[in-house]
Amino acid sequence: MQALVFTADNQLEITEVPNPEVREDDVLVAVKAVGICGSDVEGYLGKTGRRVPPLIMGHELAGKVKTAPKSSGLEPGDTVTVHPKLFCGQCSFCTSGRTNICPHGKFLGVMHENGGLAEFVAVPARYVYRVNPAVPSEHACLAEPLAVVTHAAALLPPTVLQQAQQILIVGGGPIGLLLLQVLRSMVATPITVSDLLPTRRQLALSLGAKSVFDPASDSITPAFDVVFEAVGAAASAAQSLDALQLGGNTVWIGNAQKHIEINMQAIVTRELTVHGSFLFTETDFQAALKLLESGSLQLSPLITVKHGLEHGPDLFKALATPRQQAITKAVLTL
Ligand SMILES: [Zn+2]
Ligand SMILES: [Zn+2]
């Protein structure tokens, strides 16, 4: 089969590779669409060490079932998407429902585990979900980033979210703009979106943000009860704290920079709460699928779709220099 293989830092090649090995409980999926994640781009640049060449990346995927074990209830031709965190299902985290932080699992398209940027991928049936075929593949592949968002939105105690007078989302990338839409479906609270790029601020307004904020020129006031951080860098993390009211809550989703300097005194003396939000559980994934199938989200304005794996190398190059182009979320279709 053809695959887009990450061969070295800053290098992707289209090559012929053997079809994946299909084990007894595996579903063989003919891939139809793959979203390219910010974490894939960081890995491609060699920044995180979480993509080890040679590797087929791709953890946001949708496709058609080619073969499936009988017990899975899936049939050839079914439209499916994949829960890419292959949690162990046995440890204390998994059995208490926190599969997202299972320390034993693998993750498709990460480290050494081949993912979906290829014609086929084999995935244990437990992690394969049927999707209503009315959802186009280029939207169905967004179940994964959308599940990141439904997890983050469900992380705060419900009263904290419901009683918030003002909510800020730091970062108007794919996660921030999906989160904007999910939060709007949950609460009527006015939501502000902060982003350096004018195109993304514009997009946020068109998707229902009450106001937008340019962190390079607008000055921050500590007016928000709840702040979501969807960038993962020092400046944006600092902004998520500076924008909080006394006693406020921030949810950190972004995960680009490892070590940053932080104003610990502000957290202590203003009694701020910082929640880390990582991946998603099966429940979050199901919630994301439900939202996708409801058709209530505006996904088309967020995505740039290219057909054919051969566009992969150029797309990664473009995504690695985000300020020079207008792509919010790239999806490759096959
Ligand atoms: Zn992702
Ligand atoms: Zn586990």
Side-chain angles (χ1 to χ4, degrees), residues 88-91 94 102 104:
C88 83
Q90 314 278 321
C91 71
C94 284
C102 168
H104 309 293

Side-chain angles (χ1 to χ4, degrees), residues 40-61:
D40 293 325
V41 179
E42 301 281 324
Y44 157 82
L45 293 171
K47 282 192 192 168
T48 58
R50 292 188 46 79
R51 303 292 187 282
V52 185
L55 175 76
I56 303 170
M57 296 194 218
H59 57 270
E60 305 176 359
L61 63 123

Side-chain angles (χ1 to χ4, degrees), residues 37-40 59-60 107 144-145 148 329:
C37 180
S39 67
D40 293 325
H59 57 270
E60 305 176 359
F107 205 92
E144 197 268 355
V148 168
K329 178 82 190 174

